[in-house]
Amino acid sequence: MRYAGTAISIRQAFKEVKAFEWDGEYRAAARAAIKELLEGKMESYIDDHLEEMEYQGVADRRNGHYERHILTEAGDVVVAVQRTRLRSAQEVLKSFGRRSATVDRMILECFVLGLSTRKVGRALLWALGEKVSASTVSKVAKQLDGAVTAYHRRGLPNRYRFLFFDGVVLKNRTGAGARKRVVLVALGITAEGKKEVIDFKLATGESQGAWESFLNDLYRRGITGAGVALIVVDGGKGLLAGLEVAYGTIPVQRCWAHKTRNVLNHIRMAEQEEVKTDLHKISHASGIREAQRMFRRFVLKWSEQYPKAVECLQKDIEDLCSFFAIPDCSLWRHIRTTNAIERRFVEVKRRTRPMGVFSDRTSMERILYAIFTYENTKEGTATPLLLTHNS
């Protein structure tokens, strides 16, 4: 026998609450309405069960009740769960778990918005009237695991005009101590100029094999490179080799921020600012001809004093100037570096700094997904957050 009361929505209770007008604190009235609604449903559930048992000739009778706490939008609601010798009205509450689905959604939204597990509890205190523990937030955050898996498997559209690839190092705690993990990241800029973290992958390093695996997966899921005018990279050898296999026909732009750091490694501290200014004149030139002229001046000025620095720049100058081929010069500042990726990891490191390191691979994926989803949401490029409520 199927009971209509097995799928209760707290919204029903709030509708009843909103039908009244009162002065002062509304939470007590809201909790009372929710309690009355749920206990009424459970009473009907037990009545229907006993009626069915009598019809079938099965002996059963009421056997008291026990209390159950449910965290709702109005705070903690204590309900009396009726039971018989053979059955409990717990079935009516199965869709809630220990919290309503809406409360779990609130917790997850706070987590995705960048709050730490401890700060989520404080943030929701005034909204719920009850403190949510850090351990509860952590348990709810595990619901993100399904969303992370879906995110890594979703189909990808060919809607990007520019693609960015970079590898960023984070720390992961293991039984043997902290271990560095590399996060391979793909970011795209759409034809409308919106940025999106397309996907990421945890790897042990930036080898050609690691990058090929990541790039081939993106290709299979839909990013074939059609419509992509430029690929911006950090310059790692593994990535460059992997691009030849997956996207070998698309022009490559080497990141000026990475190259500047590499060049300055060969310069004495006292002259680094001057050299940096001269590099800036190349990267921020008004066009390719001015950039070539500034490059020649750089070579003449510094080749005798810093031959290794000049060689470091000279061997990649062609790829460093690929962005000048894009007609719209207003886009140049966005596509001459991989800073769009690095800026997102500033937020990752801010969130994880109190932790020291991640506790495991799963928590690392969960936090990266949450932060990247938040950044994509600000750009209007986020995919829906698909979650299920688990009690």
Side-chain angles (χ1 to χ4, degrees):
M1 184 173 181
R2 183 177 178 85
Y3 298 93
T6 59
I8 303 296
S9 172
I10 289 181
R11 292 181 182 178
Q12 294 175 268
F14 275 109
K15 286 181 181 179
E16 294 188 21
V17 172
K18 290 177 181 178
F20 297 93
E21 292 185 1
W22 66 89
D23 294 323
E25 175 62 43
Y26 73 92
R27 292 186 186 281
R31 288 193 294 269
I34 294 170
K35 177 181 174 68
E36 182 180 357
L37 173 66
L38 294 180
E39 290 182 347
K41 292 292 184 179
M42 288 187 285
E43 185 74 20
S44 297
Y45 178 89
I46 293 297
D47 287 344
D48 290 344
H49 164 72
L50 290 174
E51 183 179 330
E52 178 69 14
M53 292 299 97
E54 183 179 1
Y55 176 77
Q56 294 180 11
V58 178
D60 195 11
R61 61 182 175 81
R62 294 180 182 273
N63 189 31
H65 68 272
Y66 62 92
E67 290 187 342
R68 169 78 179 274
H69 291 257
I70 301 175
L71 183 58
T72 73
E73 298 93 314
D76 186 38
V77 176
V78 183
V79 295
V81 182
Q82 303 294 321
R83 60 188 173 189
T84 71
R85 294 178 65 86
L86 300 178
R87 178 166 292 189
S88 166
Q90 170 71 23
E91 182 73 12
V92 175
L93 303 176
K94 69 178 184 180
S95 65
F96 292 117
R98 293 293 176 183
R99 302 164 303 278
S100 72
T102 304
V103 170
D104 275 10
R105 170 69 65 165
M106 293 169 68
I107 292 173
L108 284 173
E109 288 295 338
C110 287
F111 188 78
V112 169
L113 286 171
L115 296 181
S116 67
T117 52
R118 295 190 181 280
K119 288 181 179 179
V120 169
R122 294 202 298 271
L124 293 181
L125 177 61
W126 294 106
L128 301 178
E130 301 287 338
K131 186 176 181 180
V132 179
S133 69
S135 61
T136 295
V137 176
S138 295
K139 291 177 182 177
V140 174
K142 290 181 180 179
Q143 293 184 46
L144 285 174
D145 295 345
V148 172
T149 299
Y151 175 77
H152 287 320
R153 294 177 179 175
R154 77 196 192 283
L156 299 170
N158 268 323
R159 64 177 181 180
Y160 308 104
R161 187 178 180 190
F162 305 105
L163 292 176
F164 298 71
F165 297 105
D166 200 355
V168 180
V169 177
L170 294 176
K171 291 182 180 179
N172 174 217
R173 181 188 294 122
T174 69
R179 180 177 64 176
K180 292 182 179 180
R181 297 299 296 264
V182 175
V183 186
L184 309 182
V185 184
L187 180 143
I189 297 183
T190 67
E192 297 77 27
K194 294 184 177 181
K195 299 181 180 70
E196 176 186 354
V197 177
I198 302 168
D199 206 353
F200 64 91
K201 180 179 180 179
L202 300 185
T204 56
E206 292 192 70
S207 66
Q208 179 178 346
W211 273 112
E212 280 188 13
S213 174
F214 183 47
L215 297 174
N216 287 336
D217 180 61
L218 296 176
Y219 191 96
R220 285 192 300 268
R221 288 159 57 196
I223 299 184
T224 62
V228 176
L230 198 64
I231 292 178
V232 187
V233 301
D234 62 357
K237 293 181 180 179
L239 172 55
L240 292 173
L243 286 174
E244 284 293 327
V245 176
Y247 303 109
T249 62
I250 302 174
V252 169
Q253 167 65 41
R254 294 287 294 271
C255 173
W256 268 100
H258 283 82
K259 179 55 67 174
T260 297
R261 289 195 289 268
N262 293 340
V263 170
L264 293 181
N265 285 336
H266 302 287
I267 307 297
R268 287 197 300 269
M269 185 66 69
E271 293 177 304
Q272 283 190 2
E273 280 303 315
E274 185 178 356
V275 171
K276 187 176 180 179
T277 298
D278 289 346
L279 290 170
H280 189 276
K281 291 177 181 178
I282 305 171
S283 62
H284 289 67
S286 61
I288 185 61
R289 291 187 177 180
E290 182 184 344
Q292 291 170 340
R293 186 166 63 253
M294 292 298 101
F295 169 67
R296 289 194 293 269
R297 288 185 181 180
F298 184 93
V299 172
L300 289 173
K301 181 176 180 179
W302 299 109
S303 58
E304 183 175 346
Q305 189 175 358
Y306 296 113
K308 290 185 178 180
V310 171
E311 180 184 357
C312 179
L313 176 66
Q314 197 164 24
K315 65 187 180 68
D316 296 316
I317 190 61
E318 185 175 343
D319 286 346
L320 285 164
C321 292
S322 297
F323 73 93
F324 286 114
I326 303 302
D328 187 354
C329 61
S330 67
L331 296 172
W332 292 353
R333 66 187 181 92
H334 299 290
I335 60 176
R336 60 180 162 231
T337 71
T338 58
N339 284 352
I341 292 177
E342 294 198 8
R343 277 194 292 270
R344 280 150 179 81
F345 273 90
V346 170
E347 178 62 17
V348 171
K349 292 174 181 177
R350 183 193 70 79
R351 278 283 310 277
T352 57
R353 190 174 296 115
M355 307 175 191
V357 289
F358 294 92
S359 60
D360 54 47
R361 182 188 181 99
T362 301
S363 67
M364 184 181 288
E365 290 241 2
R366 200 180 296 147
I367 292 174
L368 288 170
Y369 168 77
I371 293 172
F372 293 155
T373 296
Y374 172 54
E375 294 296 325
N376 288 349
T377 299
K378 291 196 298 184
E379 289 281 334
T381 56
T383 54
L385 185 63
L386 301 177
L387 301 167
T388 57
H389 177 63
N390 301 318
S391 59

